[in-house]
Amino acid sequence: MDKTRIAFMSVAEQGRLIKSQKISPVDLVEMYLERIERWNPILHAWTSICEDLALEQARRAESEISKGNYRGPLHGIPFGVKDQMKTKGVPTTLASIIKKDFGSDEDATVVGRLKEAGAILLGKQNLHEFGKGGANTFHFGEPRNPWNPGHTPASSSSGSGIAPAAGLCSFSIGEDTGGSVRGPAWASGLAGIRPTFGRVSRYGGFMYAYTQDTFGPLTRTVEDNALVLSVIAGHDPKDPLTGSEAVPDYAASLNSDLSGVRIGIVRELSRDLELHPDVQTAFDTALQILVGHGAVIQDVSLPWAKYCVPLQMLTSDAEVASMLIRTALRDHWDKVDDGIRSRVAAAALVPATFYTRAMRARVLVRGQLLKQFKSCDILLGLSHVVPPEPIRDTRSNLSRPEDFSKKVAHVRRMLSYPFNIANVPAINVPCGFSSGLPMGFQVAAKPYGEAMLYKVAHAYEQEARWYERHPDLEETLAGASEEAEPQDAPYNGADGNNTVRDDIQTLGRLVGLEIPDADTQEVGLRFDALVKSMAEIEADLGSEMDMVDPIPPVYPLAEY
């Protein structure tokens, strides 16, 4: 059987062949190891490979299956995890050089459950440092898009999207705070879900944004995604924020009948935006397919969605800063990527009153979104308004006030953040290609509504069949160097001077942070933008914010 065909098979198909002993877990692991050795020097999808451990697990799986001890559809299936979760005996780097290992004493609950299901860990996958999007430098090599290495693979679970898309593993587990699973899934042409907050245990992960972080699978098909989530979901006594709801067999209920399913098209996340012509055509076609399967389409509005990017940075980024200020910024400033340290440092300066007021606003924004599920079963929005951009266009250095909206509060974040602010499940669904690059849209459901989400995504996928298309790496990576193009130096004014912001250094010292002269301008621009955004939110929602408690919106409401 052709190795390339096997490499790109769905998990479900590989699992059937393994169960019938037509392919061996050992052969599958060896094949992926060969592909990783060949292509990872260009794609930089992995930070480490545990070859000996993987082969040992594969031999054990092969022996168990030959004796009739088949554990289920993931038995013998090779996977990778974002290098942000613990794996016993395999270092966790967080893509940082501050420490060689942040924890390898035990498996994260997600990893442990996959191993119990018989899945085989191949290694750890590359990411933006500390799992925060916006990095400009990469200590393990810059992740590259397998469809076109000059274009973004998106962040921050970059390697977790690249690896399954390039046929370097069967599936991945990423982490999503503000789109870090759905973004790489969009850029690489995969199904990638952010589950309901509390659906999947966070234990063993470095979840610095504790009110939003979630683990989720990235897979080549929706069915595969459902298979993996059924294994990793469920209550974990080690994570007090996991829900106690029973975990269904998500894959068992997949079919193409959407009769009566009510789908709300969020105007602010689709129709009201200026779209690339190919994205417009692909989205319109997707809606026609869904209607053809019986879905009922209506427009809905989320006018407060525009506040989700600054609200996340005023809250989740501040939560991250509260952790990294001691372990990274104070003692290792120069070792942290400039984009990450500027983003986190600006959040470290956010006053406590801003944080709690922003948390009140998050409750309101979440409530507005949840109300839509009284008349809709599903919400739809785009994953991006354009195909994946050139890497050079996604650099996040700020030099002017207007850079914040272009490089930080950009459209892709605005499209994904409403669903994480509300902590509802949302999945990227591939919907075509533009000049060889993937496009996608998002399907979101009410809390713990993953079964309905998968049903809609699967119905579209099975007719569109974009999952049958894979990058021919010999063609797409032909002539590619092992390094991405260098970025332009940040613009620092007409005379090239970088004005020192004394006010930012003074604020930094209040929280025990010495911000170097050369970095005060960018940190200041980010901080100024957050202050301005908070003023705008107060002007619009201030009186309503006074009427709600700033409870972290992590628990689904009883009626849902």
Side-chain angles (χ1 to χ4, degrees):
M1 194 176 295
D2 180 68
K3 285 188 176 182
T4 301
R5 179 173 174 270
I6 295 173
F8 287 107
M9 278 181 180
S10 68
V11 168
E13 189 174 1
Q14 288 177 342
R16 286 190 289 269
L17 292 175
I18 288 173
K19 182 180 181 181
S20 62
Q21 300 183 53
K22 292 180 180 178
I23 62 173
S24 158
V26 175
D27 292 340
L28 196 56
V29 166
E30 288 178 340
M31 179 199 65
Y32 280 131
L33 291 174
E34 290 173 3
R35 291 181 63 85
I36 289 168
E37 183 178 10
R38 170 69 178 87
W39 298 113
N40 196 58
I42 297 174
L43 294 173
H44 304 299
W46 302 83
T47 57
S48 65
I49 297 296
C50 45
E51 179 175 352
D52 292 341
L53 179 62
L55 287 170
E56 178 185 339
Q57 294 175 75
R59 286 189 287 268
R60 184 183 307 118
E62 184 178 65
S63 175
E64 290 175 348
I65 294 167
S66 68
K67 295 175 182 177
N69 299 320
Y70 182 67
R71 302 191 196 182
L74 300 189
H75 201 176
I77 300 294
F79 72 100
V81 299
K82 185 178 184 179
D83 197 355
Q84 191 182 338
M85 61 192 81
K86 288 184 178 182
T87 44
K88 189 172 183 178
V90 183
T92 304
T93 71
L94 301 176
S96 172
I97 58 172
I98 290 176
K99 292 172 68 174
K100 292 183 178 179
D101 184 9
F102 285 82
S104 56
D105 57 313
E106 62 180 338
D107 282 328
T109 295
V110 165
V111 176
R113 288 180 176 176
L114 288 169
K115 288 183 176 180
E116 289 171 6
I120 298 167
L121 178 67
L122 286 178
K124 311 292 279 288
Q125 293 164 333
N126 207 353
L127 64 151
H128 285 223
E129 192 170 14
F130 300 118
K132 294 304 296 177
N136 296 310
T137 55
F138 300 86
H139 302 300
F140 294 87
E142 178 154 9
R144 314 282 289 284
N145 193 316
W147 295 95
N148 185 327
H151 287 247
T152 181
S155 65
S156 65
S157 307
S158 306
S160 300
I162 296 166
L168 306 185
C169 66
S170 300
F171 71 91
S172 298
I173 302 294
E175 176 276 330
D176 191 307
T177 307
S180 293
V181 164
R182 290 160 291 153
W186 155 76
S188 291
L190 300 171
I193 192 173
R194 169 199 174 81
T196 305
F197 190 96
R199 179 76 287 188
V200 176
S201 173
R202 303 165 304 130
Y203 182 80
F206 292 86
M207 315 297 266
Y208 295 137
Y210 76 96
T211 60
Q212 285 188 209
D213 285 345
T214 54
F215 288 135
L218 296 94
T219 58
R220 290 188 281 267
T221 71
V222 172
E223 180 186 14
D224 289 355
N225 212 276
L227 289 170
V228 176
L229 187 63
S230 289
V231 169
I232 65 175
H235 179 70
D236 178 14
K238 294 180 179 179
D239 180 359
L241 295 183
T242 50
S244 58
E245 286 77 3
V247 180
D249 182 347
Y250 293 115
S253 60
L254 295 178
N255 62 66
S256 296
D257 182 10
L258 302 182
S259 298
V261 175
R262 302 166 302 169
I263 297 179
I265 311 303
V266 183
R267 293 200 304 269
E268 292 83 357
L269 308 185
S270 57
R271 301 192 196 280
D272 288 356
L273 301 172
E274 183 177 347
L275 310 182
H276 185 285
D278 292 345
V279 173
Q280 180 74 68
T281 299
F283 191 59
D284 289 344
T285 301
L287 297 183
Q288 292 170 8
I289 289 174
L290 294 173
V291 170
H293 284 271
V296 179
I297 303 293
Q298 60 180 301
D299 278 11
V300 300
S301 179
L302 297 175
W304 295 340
K306 61 185 176 183
Y307 297 132
C308 288
V309 175
L311 284 176
Q312 174 150 323
M313 294 183 174
L314 287 160
T315 56
S316 293
D317 278 16
E319 293 162 4
V320 172
S322 72
M323 296 294 292
L324 294 184
I325 191 170
R326 183 184 67 83
T327 58
L329 297 188
R330 285 176 181 158
D331 296 330
H332 305 286
W333 181 274
D334 290 337
K335 293 182 179 179
V336 179
D337 168 76
D338 58 345
I340 302 301
R341 72 192 185 208
S342 295
R343 176 177 177 177
V344 176
L349 307 182
V350 171
T353 51
F354 276 30
Y355 175 85
T356 55
R357 295 291 290 172
M359 289 300 283
R360 291 176 185 271
R362 275 178 57 175
V363 172
L364 295 175
V365 172
R366 181 173 193 262
Q368 184 180 75
L369 188 146
L370 289 176
K371 286 179 181 178
Q372 304 303 322
F373 291 115
K374 295 184 183 299
S375 59
C376 299
D377 303 302
I378 288 291
L379 296 180
L380 248 61
L382 288 164
S383 295
H384 204 345
V385 298
V386 296
E389 309 98 313
I391 288 176
R392 294 173 68 91
D393 294 347
T394 63
R395 303 298 190 187
S396 62
N397 292 106
L398 274 61
S399 303
R400 312 172 179 87
E402 58 267 30
D403 285 346
F404 184 82
S405 60
K406 295 178 181 178
K407 298 184 177 183
V408 178
H410 51 68
V411 175
R412 187 173 71 79
R413 282 182 172 147
M414 186 274 290
L415 290 167
S416 63
Y417 279 21
F419 301 125
N420 28 279
I421 286 289
N423 280 330
V424 299
I427 190 172
N428 175 75
V429 182
C431 64
F433 291 83
S434 175
S435 301
L437 290 162
M439 301 177 289
F441 64 93
Q442 293 180 88
V443 179
K446 65 183 180 181
Y448 294 95
E450 284 85 356
M452 177 61 76
L453 174 154
Y454 282 138
K455 180 182 176 72
V456 171
H458 177 76
Y460 166 79
E461 176 195 70
Q462 289 304 297
E463 180 164 336
R465 308 194 76 79
W466 295 113
Y467 64 88
E468 295 177 345
R469 183 168 172 177
H470 310 292
D472 180 348
L473 300 185
E474 295 287 356
E475 178 181 335
T476 62
L477 303 185
S481 67
E482 295 189 2
E483 298 296 332
E485 294 182 45
Q487 71 173 107
D488 296 330
Y491 172 84
N492 291 315
D495 57 2
N497 293 325
N498 189 353
T499 304
V500 177
R501 291 277 302 267
D502 294 334
D503 58 330
I504 293 300
Q505 289 182 323
T506 299
L507 287 173
R509 293 186 186 106
L510 288 175
V511 295
L513 185 61
E514 290 292 336
I515 301 175
D517 291 355
D519 292 304
T520 58
Q521 186 72 10
E522 179 161 350
V523 174
L525 287 170
R526 291 172 181 265
F527 180 73
D528 293 345
L530 294 178
V531 172
K532 179 181 178 182
S533 296
M534 191 70 233
E536 294 171 352
I537 294 167
E538 286 282 4
D540 190 7
L541 305 180
S543 59
E544 294 179 72
M545 288 155 59
D546 294 340
M547 304 301 293
V548 297
D549 290 326
I551 299 171
V554 298
Y555 309 107
L557 300 178
E559 60 263 37
Y560 297 105

